[in-house]
Amino acid sequence: MQTDQHTPDSITYAHILKGLAHRRHFTHMNTVFDTMQRNNVGINSHVYAMVIDQLSNDNNVRDGYKLYRQAIESGVHPDKGMYLALLRGCAKLGDIDLYEVLCRD
């Protein structure tokens, strides 16, 4: 894409992330997400929610929470998708401590 003088936008990256998530290629998802950040591609709450959800599905709900906090610190207002992705991860792993932190946030 980039060799053809076309720069991917957030929608393109979101579809790439969704495809990687579907194939359960979580390491590649992290690489793409890092590339988005490095290239200053606008990362919205939908993209954050998708990555958080996949981290939670891969039993990395604590990493998902770190990303949730990062989103807030970068000025992205968390939406219900981000929040629910974390709650599902907590329920799946039985992480009551993180669940309580989320309830206080």
Side-chain angles (χ1 to χ4, degrees):
M1 258 184 295
Q2 293 179 353
T3 59
D4 295 337
Q5 307 302 324
H6 299 286
T7 304
D9 60 6
S10 61
I11 295 170
T12 304
Y13 277 116
H15 284 285
I16 291 169
L17 287 169
K18 186 173 183 177
L20 291 169
H22 181 70
R23 302 289 297 169
R24 303 186 59 79
H25 291 275
F26 302 116
T27 303
H28 295 310
M29 282 183 69
N30 290 335
T31 302
V32 170
F33 192 79
D34 290 343
T35 300
M36 291 176 74
Q37 290 177 314
R38 200 172 41 255
N39 292 339
N40 294 319
V41 174
I43 303 175
N44 59 26
S45 61
H46 176 73
V47 173
Y48 273 108
M50 188 181 343
V51 176
I52 290 168
D53 190 48
Q54 293 310 311
L55 286 169
S56 296
N57 286 337
D58 196 36
N59 298 327
N60 292 316
V61 70
R62 292 284 174 156
D63 289 336
Y65 181 71
K66 289 177 191 173
L67 192 57
Y68 171 82
R69 298 299 315 164
Q70 178 184 330
I72 293 170
E73 290 169 10
S74 70
V76 173
H77 183 70
D79 64 3
K80 65 181 176 184
M82 292 170 65
Y83 195 70
L84 288 174
L86 285 170
L87 290 177
R88 278 192 300 271
C90 289
K92 178 181 177 183
L93 296 176
D95 192 334
I96 301 301
D97 294 333
L98 182 56
Y99 178 82
E100 289 175 351
V101 168
L102 287 169
C103 288
R104 287 190 298 265
D105 275 359

